[in-house]
Amino acid sequence: MSYKYLDDINFPSDLRKLSIDKLEVVSSELREKTINTVAKTGGHLGAGLGVVELTVALHYVFNTPRDKLIWDVGHQTYPHKILTGRKNKIESLRQKNGLYGFVKRSESEYDPFGTAHSSTSISAGMGMKIANDLNNDNANIICVIGDGALSAGMAYEALNNVGATNKQMIVILNDNKMSIDRPVGAMSNYLAKLLSSKQYTSVRGLLKKISAKFPSSVSTTLYKAEEYSKGLVTGGTLFEELGFYYLGPIDGHDIKTLVSVLENLKTSSVGKPIFLHCITKKGKGYEPAEKAEDKFHGVNKFDVKTGQSLGSSNKKTYSAVFGETLSKAAESDEKIVAVTAAMMSGTGLDIFNLKHQSRLFDVGIAEQHAVTMAAGLATEGFKPYVAIYSTFLQRAYDQIVHDVALQSLPVRFAIDRAGQVGTDGPTHAGSYDITYLSTLPNFIIMAPSNQNELVRMINTSLLIDDRPSAFRYPRGTGIFNENDLDSRVLEIGKGYIVTQGNDIAILNLGTRMESCEEAIKLLKDHNIFPTLADARFAKPIDKDLINQLLDNHKYVITIEEGSSGGFGATVLNYIHNERVKPTSAKISNIFFPDRFIDHQSPEDQYLEMGMDAGSIAQKILKFYKTNVLDFQLFNKTKKN
Ligand SMILES: Cc1ncc(C[n+]2csc(CCOP(=O)(O)OP(=O)(O)O)c2C)c(N)n1
C-alpha cells in the first residue's frame, strides 16, 4: 500500500517540512496504516485511532525528541511509533523480537519514559522538568494522559504536586469518555459536565475572561484562532483551582486547531503548568471500532473490511471460569461482593455483573483503593473478592500488607494473568505475586493446575473467613472438564500426588502441570517414571507431602510460574530451617529467571525460560546422567 505523504515520513523532521494544510491527509494515512497494521498483528487499536491527530500535531509543533513527549499507559502509541523511525518495523509489533506494544525507552529516543501501567506520565514528566530546570535546559515536557488513567491516585498525587509549582510543563488530557470499559467515578462525571457546561463562550466573551489571566502573547493568538476557541472554557475549573492554566475543551481531531493551540503553548510563557483538555473519540475513523462496545480497545487479528476477529478461541478462559463460579456462588451467598479496578470484562466480572450488579464495584484504575475498600467491606462481615491482574496488584502492596494482612481480614484476591502473559510482555507479566504474598503472615495462597481446580479454590476461599486468601491463575484458556466438576472445598495447605512414580518427584504449583505431564510422557521412552504432585497451596505448604517426596525420591523438583523467592523458596526454607530429619535427596527449583522476559507467545516465553515440557524432561535426564542414579538403566535406554 502506498501513501502520498506517509511514504516520505520516517521521522518528525520529515513531517515538519510539510505545510499545515497537508496534515489532515497525513492523519488519515496514519490512521489507515495503524488499522492495517493492527489487523495483522492484533493489539490495541481504539486508543491509537483516537490520538492520530494529536500525535501528528504534537510531533509537528514540538521539537521531539529534544522536547519530551510522555504518553500515559502507552497503548495508544502505534501512530507515534510510525512517525518516529519505526514505520518499517511496525508490522513486527508485539511479535517476537519486534516492536513492543507499549512504550519502551530502549526502543527509541522518542520514547523518553517506559510505560504500560497507567497514570505515571505526570510524575515522570515532573521529574524531567525538575531535571531540566536544574540543568538550565528549556526543553518542553508534554504528558498525554487519558480520562481513564486520570482515575488513578498516582495521577492526583502528581497533579497536586505539579499544580503547586510554577513549572511550565504541559499536561494534555485525552478525554475520550472511555477507559477499557465505561469510565467511572466523580472525575469522569465532572469532565462530562465540563464538556456540556454553560461556560462555553464566544471568542469575544472568552477573550474578556482570559485576557486578565493570560499573558498577552497567548490571548492575542487565541483571538486569531477563532475556530478552536468556540468550545473553550476558562476559569473556575477544578484544574485551575489546582494551580494549572486550564485550556479547553478543544476538538482533538481538528488538526488545525490542535496545531495552533500547541504553537501558542510552545511559544508563550505562562509561568505555570498548563492543562489542555482535548476531546477525542476512541476508535475514531474506523467504523467497526467506533460502533463496538469497547471501541476495539484490545483486539485479535481482524478482517479490515468487516472488523471481524480472526482466530479467537472458543475455549473458556480462566477469567470466565472465575466470573461464572463467583456469580453462581453469589446466588446463594448474599455476602459475596466483587471489586474491580477498571477491568470488569478483563477479569470476567462482567459475568458476575449480569446477575449481581448491585454487588459489583468498579472503582476505576485505583488498585490501592480497591484493596483497602475491600478490607473495609470485610470488617463488616462481607466476603469481598478483589479481582486484579497480578501485575497491577503490585500497586497495592502496602494496602495488602497494612490494611489486609496485618489485620487478618478475609479479603479474597482473585489474581488474574499470573505467570507470563505473552505479547503484552514484561510490563504485564504476573511474576511476583507468589513471592510478595508468601512473605506475609496470615495469607493463604492457592494456584490451580487447571480450571476445575480453580472452581474448587474459589469455593474453598468462600470458607476462609478469618484471614486473607488468594488464588492465582493465568491468562487465556486451560483444561476444563465439565463432566468432572467437583465443587468440594479443599483441605487448606494440602496437595496431592497425581501420579506415583519413583526416584524423581516433580512438585508442581499452578498451570505448568500440563507441561509436567507432557515431560513425564517424554521420559517414559527413557524408562524414567517420575512422581508428579500438585501442591495446590503456595502457603501454607504441605509439609507432609514434601516429607513424603523427600523420603521416597532421590531428586525433587519444584516448579512454579513466578519469580525467585516464591513457592520453591518456601519449600527450601522449610527443609533447611524447620525439617528435623536430614535428607539425601537433591532438590532443585524451577522458577522464572532473574531477568525480564520479552514479549512473544507464552509458549516461546516458557521455552526461553526452560519451563516447557522438553526442558523439564531434559533437566531430569541430565540428573540421571550426572548423578548416576541408575546408570545402567540410563545407558540401556539410551542404546535403545
Ligand atoms: C495500573 C493499571 N491498571 C490497569 C491497567 C489496564 N488498562 C490499560 S488501558 C486502561 C484504560 C485506560 O483508559 P484511558 O486512560 O482513558 O485511555 P484510553 O484507552 O481510553 O485511550 C486500563 C484500565 C493499566 N494499564 N494500569
Side-chain angles (χ1 to χ4, degrees):
M1 178 146 328
S2 72
Y3 297 101
K4 188 170 174 192
Y5 299 113
L6 199 56
D7 284 351
D8 294 324
I9 300 172
N10 290 308
F11 288 95
S13 51
D14 303 318
L15 179 71
R16 289 174 206 137
K17 287 180 198 146
L18 299 173
S19 59
I20 187 167
D21 56 307
K22 306 286 189 305
L23 298 187
E24 221 164 282
V25 182
V26 171
S27 299
S28 66
E29 292 182 353
L30 186 56
R31 180 164 278 117
E32 197 176 327
K33 175 105 184 140
T34 305
I35 295 166
N36 288 332
T37 300
V38 183
K40 288 185 196 148
T41 61
H44 292 96
L45 183 58
L49 295 182
V51 295
V52 165
E53 287 79 10
L54 190 57
T55 306
V56 171
L58 283 165
H59 284 298
Y60 189 71
V61 171
F62 288 99
N63 185 22
T64 52
R66 188 175 130 61
D67 288 339
K68 302 283 191 297
L69 175 54
I70 307 156
W71 296 96
D72 209 278
V73 183
H75 62 315
Q76 74 288 63
T77 54
Y78 304 174
H80 158 83
K81 291 187 188 227
I82 293 170
L83 292 184
T84 53
R86 288 164 276 185
K87 186 179 64 181
N88 298 332
K89 283 199 252 166
I90 197 70
E91 287 186 11
S92 71
L93 200 61
R94 294 166 60 89
Q95 321 295 310
K96 190 173 183 171
N97 300 321
L99 295 177
Y100 196 38
F102 300 88
V103 176
K104 194 171 174 182
R105 269 168 64 81
S106 59
E107 201 174 87
S108 165
E109 58 179 337
Y110 290 87
D111 292 2
F113 199 74
T115 180
H117 289 202
S118 91
S119 319
T120 60
S121 60
I122 308 173
S123 303
M126 177 65 165
M128 291 177 199
K129 182 66 189 161
I130 293 169
N132 279 1
D133 287 354
L134 291 172
N135 289 332
N136 288 324
D137 180 342
N138 63 357
N140 288 291
I141 305 287
I142 310 112
C143 312
V144 184
I145 184 165
D147 54 311
L150 198 63
S151 62
M154 199 176 164
Y156 293 97
E157 291 172 25
L159 288 175
N160 184 49
N161 184 206
V162 174
T165 70
N166 59 359
K167 304 266 175 225
Q168 190 174 326
M169 54 188 271
I170 302 171
V171 174
I172 299 180
L173 174 62
N174 168 34
D175 182 1
N176 60 18
K177 313 261 161 302
M178 282 294 285
S179 188
I180 292 183
D181 301 308
R182 294 259 155 222
V184 294
M187 173 56 82
S188 172
N189 296 342
Y190 174 71
L191 293 175
K193 222 161 64 191
L194 209 55
L195 186 58
S196 62
S197 160
K198 300 259 182 327
Q199 294 176 71
Y200 279 14
T201 177
S202 69
V203 176
R204 273 181 204 294
L206 169 84
L207 248 191
K208 242 201 246 159
K209 267 191 190 173
I210 63 174
S211 55
K213 288 204 167 191
F214 267 85
S216 57
S217 68
V218 182
S219 53
T220 317
T221 339
L222 280 176
Y223 184 60
K224 283 183 201 149
E226 220 169 302
E227 69 274 27
Y228 75 75
S229 306
K230 284 178 196 123
L232 214 62
V233 179
T234 60
T237 68
L238 176 66
F239 305 104
E240 292 221 308
E241 301 300 329
L242 281 172
F244 285 76
Y245 267 128
Y246 171 89
L247 269 179
I250 63 167
D251 178 355
H253 298 299
D254 179 342
I255 187 88
K256 286 190 181 145
T257 296
L258 283 171
V259 168
S260 16
V261 172
L262 294 174
E263 290 282 6
N264 265 296
L265 298 182
K266 189 174 96 169
T267 51
S268 59
S269 154
V270 296
K272 265 192 167 200
I274 293 163
F275 193 95
L276 175 63
H277 187 176
C278 288
I279 305 299
T280 61
K281 205 170 189 182
K282 198 162 178 173
K284 169 81 177 172
Y286 183 52
E287 206 184 326
E290 284 192 25
K291 282 188 172 159
E293 181 75 10
D294 72 342
K295 311 296 174 206
F296 275 37
H297 178 86
V299 289
N300 290 323
K301 297 174 188 181
F302 62 92
D303 176 60
V304 175
K305 276 204 186 101
T306 61
Q308 281 297 316
S309 176
L310 305 172
S312 56
S313 161
N314 290 330
K315 277 175 79 180
K316 215 179 266 246
T317 61
Y318 276 89
S319 312
V321 171
F322 163 66
E324 283 171 12
T325 309
L326 193 66
S327 182
K328 193 157 170 248
E331 282 169 21
S332 55
D333 188 340
E334 61 190 24
K335 290 294 182 193
I336 292 176
V337 288
V339 182
T340 173
M343 304 294 284
M344 185 152 69
S345 40
T347 54
L349 281 178
D350 50 342
I351 302 168
F352 182 92
N353 191 44
L354 291 175
K355 284 197 175 157
H356 312 289
Q357 204 177 1
S358 62
R359 285 190 271 159
L360 186 276
F361 303 95
D362 183 351
V363 297
I365 307 178
E367 289 81 6
Q368 304 175 343
H369 166 60
V371 170
T372 303
M373 189 181 99
L377 277 157
T379 63
E380 297 299 310
F382 279 87
K383 296 180 179 175
Y385 280 78
V386 185
I388 296 184
Y389 292 5
S390 169
T391 190
F392 302 139
L393 193 59
Q394 289 161 196
R395 283 254 161 119
Y397 191 52
D398 184 57
Q399 286 72 12
I400 294 172
V401 177
H402 176 267
D403 300 333
V404 177
L406 197 62
Q407 307 192 81
S408 200
L409 288 169
V411 174
R412 284 83 168 167
F413 292 90
I415 305 179
D416 203 323
R417 299 330 190 248
Q420 293 296 334
V421 294
T423 50
D424 278 340
T427 55
H428 280 57
S431 308
Y432 310 109
D433 58 280
I434 305 177
T435 303
Y436 66 64
L437 294 180
S438 290
T439 53
L440 297 179
N442 294 326
F443 247 92
I444 291 173
I445 310 163
M446 300 175 263
S449 53
N450 59 47
Q451 296 185 343
N452 289 53
E453 284 279 308
L454 174 59
V455 172
R456 294 192 71 179
M457 288 177 182
I458 296 166
N459 290 330
T460 304
S461 72
L462 279 168
L463 302 182
I464 304 174
D465 254 339
D466 61 344
R467 62 189 60 207
S469 59
F471 43 92
R472 54 139 26 215
Y473 45 94
R475 177 184 193 148
T477 61
I479 295 172
F480 185 63
N481 189 346
E482 206 136 4
N483 302 323
D484 196 25
L485 254 185
D486 182 348
S487 54
R488 281 176 308 155
V489 300
L490 299 167
E491 190 178 342
I492 301 295
K494 285 286 159 202
Y496 76 110
I497 294 202
V498 181
T499 324
Q500 184 68 58
N502 50 44
D503 290 341
I504 288 172
I506 306 173
L507 178 55
N508 168 72
L509 178 81
T511 54
R512 282 295 90 197
M513 182 61 92
E514 266 180 72
S515 301
C516 293
E517 284 169 342
E518 191 64 30
I520 287 173
K521 274 190 206 146
L522 295 173
L523 290 166
K524 243 187 217 163
D525 293 343
H526 298 269
N527 278 340
I528 299 170
F529 301 97
T531 294
L532 177 60
D534 185 346
R536 281 181 169 152
F537 289 80
K539 188 172 189 174
I541 51 170
D542 187 343
K543 293 172 188 172
D544 293 338
L545 178 63
I546 293 164
N547 288 338
Q548 196 184 330
L549 298 179
L550 290 175
D551 293 346
N552 299 319
H553 299 83
K554 298 182 173 94
Y555 186 29
V556 177
I557 303 171
T558 68
I559 181 162
E560 68 199 285
E561 293 152 314
S563 67
S564 61
F567 172 63
T570 308
V571 171
L572 286 185
N573 189 13
Y574 161 68
I575 296 168
H576 288 296
N577 295 311
E578 210 181 305
R579 189 181 129 108
V580 185
K581 197 171 154 194
T583 178
S584 59
K586 181 180 155 61
I587 302 149
S588 62
N589 310 113
I590 302 179
F591 49 81
F592 290 178
D594 188 20
R595 61 191 155 83
F596 295 104
I597 302 298
D598 279 341
H599 62 284
Q600 54 197 309
S601 70
E603 293 73 27
D604 283 343
Q605 287 173 326
Y606 283 105
L607 184 68
E608 181 185 322
M609 295 187 295
M611 295 178 76
D612 63 306
S615 306
I616 297 167
Q618 277 301 325
K619 194 175 175 75
I620 291 171
L621 276 174
K622 199 168 156 204
F623 179 81
Y624 263 88
K625 268 189 211 167
T626 49
N627 290 276
V628 202
L629 260 189
D630 187 340
F631 212 82
Q632 284 182 336
L633 171 73
F634 182 70
N635 281 337
K636 201 172 106 215
T637 52
K638 225 174 135 191
K639 270 179 220 140
N640 295 340

